[in-house]
Amino acid sequence: MEIRRLGNLKTALGECPLWHGAHLWLMDCRQGLILALDSDTGEVTARHEAPPPLGSFAFNGDGFDCIVLSLKEEIAALNLRTGRLRSLARIEASSPHLRLNDGISLPDGSFVVGTMHVFRAADEPPLGGLYRLDTRLQLHKLDEGLGVANGPCVNPANGRLHVADSAARVIYSYAFAADGTLADKQVFVRTEVLDSGPDGCAFDTEGGLWTALVRTGALARFDGQGRLTHKIELPLAHPSALCFGGPQMGDLFVTSISDSGRLSASGPLDGAVLKLTGLGFRGFARPVCRMPL
């Protein structure tokens, strides 16, 4: 296995890596940037702006014209050709310390996204929760009580939706019904023993779930029963998210943090994008949204 820096990009809050159209896409959430990188050289091949803080994004349709993205308290569509931003839905909760965070497109074309509510009192329940914007542009609240929702992803083996709560240091799994509702919430794994909350997540083709251990500079892989099978130490302090990509979907790309507003580090690779090759695992290309935009 080889770990190397991809290009010279340094993000404040690198997040939401996404393989689309033979390029690696990602966000710098604090800077309001959506970027595409050449997956071999790391050269920035596309650069788009949206009002920060950003949370996550997904492409709408198979092309490159439009993305669905989460802003502070609303989900919007951004036309990448024209720069036009269109609001699609707004969550019911609002607070200076609440914002939409990580999200993903689902096989049915919808978009699922969770919130983060930080700087809460010890006995203060988190606002927001987990939401789904369906293909009719209707917003549904799926769950609540998540302090920092991260890494939503679908297990290819059983179709269950997995969502991390970084604040609680746990990854939950849910049964995902055909109508988009959730049931049978279970604890998939607790990461307290690894001294970190789980951040971004992705499944490999063998049903293993990979997550970024944001506080300990490492990645972890768990099998379908939630047992730790691999732990990879990284040359940076705060990995934030990951995705599989490359021609055979066998490369793993990792984003990181130099200054998120809560976490910061000043090492030479903090804020960089890493590329891991020779892992021996492959992943999946994510589906795209199918919104009538």
Side-chain angles (χ1 to χ4, degrees):
M1 182 191 68
E2 178 188 12
I3 303 174
R4 69 175 178 90
R5 181 175 192 167
L6 182 63
N8 298 311
L9 183 68
K10 182 181 180 69
T11 60
L13 177 51
E15 280 284 3
C16 201
L18 172 65
W19 183 258
H20 183 78
H23 281 75
L24 177 69
W25 292 77
L26 68 144
M27 287 178 149
D28 189 336
C29 297
R30 293 198 78 191
Q31 303 300 321
L33 297 176
I34 303 104
L35 305 167
L37 305 184
D38 183 286
S39 63
D40 292 322
T41 67
E43 176 188 358
V44 176
T45 58
R47 183 182 187 275
H48 306 278
E49 298 183 12
L54 306 180
S56 51
F57 77 107
F59 277 89
N60 192 61
D62 299 311
F64 300 88
D65 290 344
C66 184
I67 60 173
V68 176
L69 76 163
S70 57
L71 305 176
K72 185 179 184 298
E73 293 169 1
E74 66 180 319
I75 301 171
L78 177 64
N79 187 306
L80 298 183
R81 289 184 295 105
T82 66
R84 179 176 179 264
L85 189 68
R86 171 189 171 191
S87 179
L88 302 179
R90 180 175 290 273
I91 62 174
E92 83 290 351
S94 182
S95 165
H97 303 305
L98 173 74
R99 71 171 177 88
L100 288 165
N101 195 41
D102 207 357
I104 189 173
S105 47
L106 296 180
D108 68 352
S110 64
F111 184 68
V112 165
V113 61
T115 53
M116 58 184 293
H117 185 189
V118 297
F119 304 119
R120 292 177 287 116
D123 60 348
E124 182 183 2
L127 297 172
L130 188 67
Y131 300 85
R132 173 176 173 265
L133 184 69
D134 68 25
T135 55
R136 298 174 300 161
L137 303 181
Q138 299 297 307
L139 186 66
H140 310 269
K141 190 171 186 178
L142 303 178
D143 199 7
E144 57 187 12
L146 301 170
V148 179
N150 264 310
C153 54
V154 176
N155 187 331
N158 57 25
R160 291 181 68 91
L161 177 69
H162 289 59
V163 180
D165 185 342
S166 302
R169 298 190 171 187
V170 63
I171 300 175
Y172 297 105
S173 80
Y174 305 79
F176 189 76
D179 65 357
T181 58
L182 301 181
D184 189 33
K185 183 177 182 179
Q186 299 180 10
V187 172
F188 174 70
V189 70
R190 297 187 185 274
T191 61
E192 184 66 44
V193 68
L194 298 173
D195 297 320
S196 176
D199 205 322
C201 302
F203 275 98
D204 61 40
T205 57
E206 297 180 17
L209 185 148
W210 294 77
T211 189
L213 299 175
V214 67
R215 293 187 177 271
T216 55
L219 305 179
R221 180 188 184 270
F222 301 94
D223 67 13
Q225 288 70 49
R227 297 173 299 208
L228 181 69
T229 65
H230 295 70
K231 185 180 178 186
I232 300 173
E233 303 293 334
L234 300 176
L236 46 75
H238 301 301
S240 55
L242 48 85
C243 77
F244 284 93
Q248 305 300 319
M249 298 301 292
D251 301 329
L252 191 64
F253 298 95
V254 182
T255 53
S256 66
I257 295 167
S258 63
D259 183 5
S260 72
R262 295 189 302 139
L263 297 174
S264 63
S266 56
L269 293 182
D270 292 309
V273 178
L274 300 181
K275 180 179 181 179
L276 283 65
T277 54
L279 277 175
F281 293 94
R282 294 186 300 112
F284 298 94
R286 291 182 181 174
V288 296
C289 290
R290 300 291 180 184
M291 309 290 183
L293 304 176

